[in-house]
């Protein structure tokens, strides 16, 4: 952690400022603080700064046992009050499985290539408004860009801006946006930030924070541009997570989100798929040991190739057997990617979350209005949108 990040941090419990107590003299790089303790000035709750990452969760001090042992003598000289046990237990009951799943996922799998992440980021956020006239994309998640496609992207709209990634995982979109923005902050619930720090260690404009978007450890209204891609629908309350994200955007700033789309008139087959995947399989898989789920996801990843080949054969020959194979495989196998490991990753990502919800454009538009945003634009990929937070002046306040 670099000291300038402290200007953005607050206690997630009460919103007060934090004091930093370094616990090690990191002579190798005095700009980076590897180990320390953050203490709330108001409620005195302690939050570890471990492995260079501020851990601003209610259970962080309790969970960091090695940290407490290593620095026990220094910690004994600092005044603080640990979070009540009931707060820790309530937090873990709500979020433990989510943090475990995504921490394992992002620290284990090889993710999509940077070229795909580059196009996906700009396509889902609207950070380059002209891109939609430059590229023809049906589904950005199965779009494999050529070099000529990448040259069409213009990131100048982000120049000099303070950007927030809500749910940054191992930092694949931070890697993209930090090429263009001024200051970039990645917020995530899970231990995936350890990998993110390793990946982004040379990006001096990137800061990482472990925290919960439902109780954000960040100052209100600080971001020029905030985005959350495929994250908010994995929280216990997507609506509340959206409003919390919106509160971190300054007047005149923008918020972009992408959420799982809800079909307005789903077919019987689509309803059956959702029932099998969401009501039958996922309540089991989200509680599986991650290594076991990884094995299961590997099988499902291979099954996506069987599904797609059978569908192609049916289209070419009209084979009823191929049609049935594609239909039955499609009941459980999700996603599509030419790399088998990424195909497995997509299935792990689908079946590991404790929470998942689906949303419509109308619902998201209402949320933007509730959060006092204007200029709402629904983007081509369902359901993605971007809007601008109204200033006091635009609300008629002198």
């Amino acid at each position: 952690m670099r000291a300038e990040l402290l200007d953005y941090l607050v206690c997630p419990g009460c919103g007060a400022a934090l004091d930093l107590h370094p616990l090690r003299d990191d002579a190798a790089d005095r700009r980076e603080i590897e180990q320390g303790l953050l203490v709330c000035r108001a409620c005195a709750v302690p939050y570890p700064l471990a492995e260079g990452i501020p851990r601003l969760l209610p259970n962080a001090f309790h969970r960091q046992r090695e940290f407490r042992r290593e620095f026990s003598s220094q910690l004994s000289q600092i005044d603080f009050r640990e979070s009540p046990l009931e707060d820790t237990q309530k937090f873990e009951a709500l979020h433990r499985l989510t943090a475990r799943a995504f921490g394992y996922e992002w620290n284990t799998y090889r993710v999509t290539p940077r070229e795909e992440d580059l196009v996906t980021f700009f396509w889902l956020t609207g950070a380059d408004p002209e891109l939609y006239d430059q590229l023809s994309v049906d589904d950005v998640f199965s779009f494999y860009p050529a070099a000529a496609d990448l040259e069409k992207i213009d990131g100048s709209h982000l120049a000099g801006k303070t950007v927030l990634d809500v749910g940054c995982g191992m930092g694949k979109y931070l890697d993209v946006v930090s090429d263009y923005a001024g200051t970039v902050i990645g917020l995530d619930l899970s231990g995936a930030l350890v990998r993110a720090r390793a990946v982004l260690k040379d990006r001096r404009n990137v800061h990482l924070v472990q925290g919960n978007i439902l109780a954000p450890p960040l100052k209100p209204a600080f971001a020029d541009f905030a985005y959350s891609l495929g994250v908010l629908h994995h929280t216990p309350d997507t609506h509340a997570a959206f409003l919390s994200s919106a509160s971190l955007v300054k007047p005149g700033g923008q918020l972009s989100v992408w959420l799982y789309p809800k079909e307005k008139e789903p077919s019987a087959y689509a309803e059956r798929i959702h029932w099998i995947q969401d009501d039958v399989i996922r309540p089991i898989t989200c509680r599986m040991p991650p290594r076991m789920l990884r094995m299961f996801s590997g099988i499902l990843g291979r099954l996506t190739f069987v599904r797609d080949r059978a569908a192609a054969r049916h289209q070419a020959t009209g084979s009823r057997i191929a049609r049935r194979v594609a239909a039955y495989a499609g009941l459980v196998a999700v996603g599509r990617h030419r790399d088998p490991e990424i195909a497995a990753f997509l299935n792990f990502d689908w079946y590991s979350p404790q929470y998942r919800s689906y949303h419509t454009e109308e619902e998201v538009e209402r949320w933007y209005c509730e959060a006092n945003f204007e200029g709402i634009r629904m983007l081509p990929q369902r359901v993605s949108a971007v809007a601008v937070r109204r200033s006091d002046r635009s609300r008629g306040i002198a």
Side-chain angles (χ1 to χ4, degrees), residues 58-186:
N59 67 339
F61 191 79
H62 174 73
R63 282 283 179 179
Q64 292 284 332
R65 294 182 179 88
E66 185 176 339
F67 172 90
R68 297 203 316 269
R69 283 196 300 268
E70 182 178 356
F71 300 106
S72 59
S73 60
Q74 294 101 310
L75 292 173
S76 66
Q77 300 173 32
I78 302 172
D79 291 328
F80 60 81
R81 293 191 299 272
E82 290 191 49
S83 294
L85 182 60
E86 55 268 27
D87 290 353
T88 296
Q89 292 173 336
K90 182 179 178 181
F91 172 82
E92 293 198 344
L94 283 173
H95 301 291
R96 181 182 62 84
L97 291 178
T98 300
R100 184 188 71 167
F102 287 110
Y104 181 88
E105 173 183 319
W106 292 118
N107 281 313
T108 302
Y109 282 99
R110 182 176 73 251
V111 295
T112 45
R114 191 178 190 278
E115 311 85 66
E116 294 178 28
D117 295 339
L118 182 64
V119 173
T120 300
F121 170 79
F122 280 97
W123 195 260
L124 294 181
T125 62
D128 176 9
E130 289 75 37
L131 184 63
Y132 306 108
D133 296 326
Q134 303 291 323
L135 293 181
S136 177
V137 176
D138 292 326
D139 176 16
V140 74
F141 298 110
S142 57
F143 179 72
Y144 307 113
D149 297 321
L150 302 180
E151 292 174 357
K152 297 174 181 177
I153 294 173
D154 178 11
S156 63
H157 297 277
L158 297 173
K161 291 187 176 179
T162 299
V163 176
L164 171 66
D165 182 336
V166 178
C168 64
M170 53 70 63
K172 64 178 189 170
Y173 295 127
L174 294 175
D175 186 44
V176 169
V177 75
S178 59
D179 277 344
Y180 306 96
T183 298
V184 183
I185 296 176

Side-chain angles (χ1 to χ4, degrees), residues 16 47 56 62 84 86 102 126-127 133 135 150-151 156 158 160 213 248 268 292 298 331 338 352 354 361 373 381:
Y47 302 99
L56 298 170
H62 174 73
E86 55 268 27
F102 287 110
D133 296 326
L135 293 181
L150 302 180
E151 292 174 357
S156 63
L158 297 173
I213 188 54
L248 302 175
M292 184 184 296
L331 288 173
R338 58 189 177 188
S352 63
Q354 181 180 8
E361 287 84 352
F373 279 67
Q381 188 88 20

Side-chain angles (χ1 to χ4, degrees), residues 1-8 20 30-33 207:
M1 172 185 156
R2 290 183 293 283
E4 58 265 29
L5 176 59
L6 196 60
D7 294 337
Y8 298 96
L20 172 60
R30 294 188 180 278
R31 293 173 298 180
E32 291 278 350
I33 305 167
H207 304 274

